[in-house]
Amino acid sequence: MQEFTVRPQPDDPRLTRTVAGIDQEGRPIETQIVMERPLTLFLNGREIVTMMTIGDHPDYLAVGYLLNQNMLRPGDRVTGIDYDEELETVVVRTDRETDFEDKLRKKTLTSGCAQGTVFGDLMEKFEEVRLDPGAILRTSWLYTLTRKINTVPSLYLAAGAIHGCVLCEEDRPLLYMEDVGRHNAIDKIAGYMHLNGISPAGKIFYTTGRLTSEMVIKTVQMGIAILISRSGFTAWGVDLARQANLTLIGRARGKRFMALAGAERIVFDGDMRAMEEEHPRVARKASLAEEEAA
């Protein structure tokens, strides 16, 4: 795959809109804000969940969500994906009834799309995964990746209020997806990988969001051995990463990073003296327009 085979499209008029307001001194301003839309997902004839999303790549998001929630198994063949923008629905069709639908009929369900059942299935699969012990992360790759990812045009840079996830290989970013929730962004990448037959071998996963239990579980389920974030950790995220032997790196900004699990995969070949600290503009949560007006 080439670098940034899929990349953010911050100029897509469907993804942001301009809103007028005032600043801290009462001066009129205009700023770009990210759109947020509901998307209701169906698996064959069953309604599964309504997600809030920016609206791009609904097919990858739908398949990735079902995979990461363990509602689709690798052996389930997707025969069709129907997206209706007007109705705000996406239907994933398989060639046979899935295990998830069968389980639903055997249980008394509460509200929330059987999340207790789903969580139990998630942890069952999580404990079965064996990540590649031979995977490595060179610090030279890490420094190059963070520079490329943090400078490519994106909704994160244009408007803020967004999360990004990037599938990488060595020092090359391959797929860069964004959404209002980090779980949506990672699901889009999982869906793309599944539908295009992309192997997790040798891959690295990068996210702008926190390293929570959910991010760790989904990365492990995808079979990726290295997870990097520019943000921090949660305690359960670290515990699960250590249990699964996932290399977990957080606070990766400029020449700095912190590894709390799987540090044995890191090869220190980067020249720290040649590295620059991260530019303040890529360290913020607001949009560039808001910064420039400040």
Side-chain angles (χ1 to χ4, degrees):
M1 295 179 64
Q2 296 181 344
E3 284 195 0
F4 294 111
T5 297
V6 176
R7 67 168 66 204
Q9 301 294 329
D11 296 330
D12 187 334
R14 300 172 303 167
L15 304 184
T16 63
R17 66 184 174 95
T18 302
V19 175
I22 60 171
D23 67 10
Q24 66 280 354
E25 297 181 6
R27 296 174 300 188
I29 60 166
E30 287 190 343
T31 189
Q32 294 293 109
I33 61 172
V34 173
M35 298 294 290
E36 191 176 14
R37 300 176 175 87
L39 178 67
T40 300
L41 167 61
F42 290 80
L43 175 57
N44 295 316
R46 185 178 293 276
E47 181 177 337
I48 301 299
V49 69
T50 296
M51 302 172 281
M52 298 306 297
T53 174
I54 59 176
D56 65 341
H57 307 299
D59 50 348
Y60 301 142
L61 174 58
V63 172
Y65 177 90
L66 293 171
L67 286 167
N68 281 332
Q69 294 296 328
N70 215 23
M71 298 180 191
L72 277 183
R73 302 282 185 170
D76 291 326
R77 189 169 68 89
V78 174
T79 58
I81 305 172
D82 301 318
Y83 171 60
D84 190 310
E85 184 174 7
E86 184 176 347
L87 296 178
E88 299 174 326
T89 60
V90 59
V91 181
V92 176
R93 304 185 190 282
T94 59
D95 59 349
R96 62 181 179 83
E97 190 175 79
T98 66
D99 291 342
F100 179 74
E101 292 165 317
D102 185 56
K103 287 180 181 180
L104 284 183
R105 276 201 301 270
K106 297 178 182 178
K107 292 184 178 288
T108 301
L109 304 182
T110 59
S111 61
C113 189
Q115 289 302 310
T117 302
V118 169
F119 182 78
D121 288 346
L122 283 178
M123 294 309 298
E124 178 182 332
K125 184 177 179 181
F126 177 87
E127 293 171 356
E128 295 173 352
V129 175
R130 297 295 178 264
L131 299 177
D132 181 7
I136 65 168
L137 173 68
R138 297 185 180 276
T139 54
S140 60
W141 300 346
L142 174 58
Y143 297 146
T144 300
L145 285 172
T146 55
R147 184 178 68 252
K148 289 178 178 178
I149 293 168
N150 290 337
T151 55
V152 70
S154 63
L155 285 173
Y156 179 77
L157 289 176
I162 201 83
H163 283 289
C165 288
V166 190
L167 182 71
C168 311
E169 187 170 38
E170 296 184 352
D171 63 352
R172 298 180 299 119
L174 304 178
L175 307 172
Y176 186 168
M177 301 283 195
E178 293 184 296
D179 214 304
V180 288
R182 59 187 179 274
H183 45 86
N184 285 355
I186 192 172
D187 287 346
K188 288 177 183 177
I189 289 180
Y192 186 101
M193 292 176 67
H194 181 78
L195 292 174
N196 290 277
I198 297 172
S199 169
K203 302 301 191 293
I204 298 165
F205 205 89
Y206 176 95
T207 178
T208 60
R210 299 183 308 280
L211 295 172
T212 63
S213 58
E214 177 188 45
M215 292 300 293
V216 168
I217 289 171
K218 289 189 175 185
T219 303
V220 169
Q221 285 193 140
M222 292 163 68
I224 298 173
I226 299 166
L227 174 59
I228 302 167
S229 174
R230 60 176 290 107
S231 191
F233 312 81
T234 68
W236 197 18
V238 173
D239 290 344
L240 289 173
R242 291 177 174 177
Q243 175 184 332
N245 192 29
L246 172 75
T247 296
L248 192 67
I249 295 175
R251 300 176 186 170
R253 304 184 181 192
K255 64 176 68 176
R256 305 178 185 184
F257 68 85
M258 183 180 297
L260 297 188
E264 66 277 2
R265 290 194 179 94
I266 302 173
V267 177
F268 290 87
D269 70 333
D271 185 357
M272 293 284 290
R273 296 169 298 180
M275 282 296 301
E276 298 180 357
E277 291 293 350
E278 186 175 80
H279 192 284
R281 276 194 167 180
V282 300
R284 83 294 169 269
K285 293 293 186 182
S287 68
L288 289 182
E290 290 168 331
E291 281 192 343
E292 290 166 354

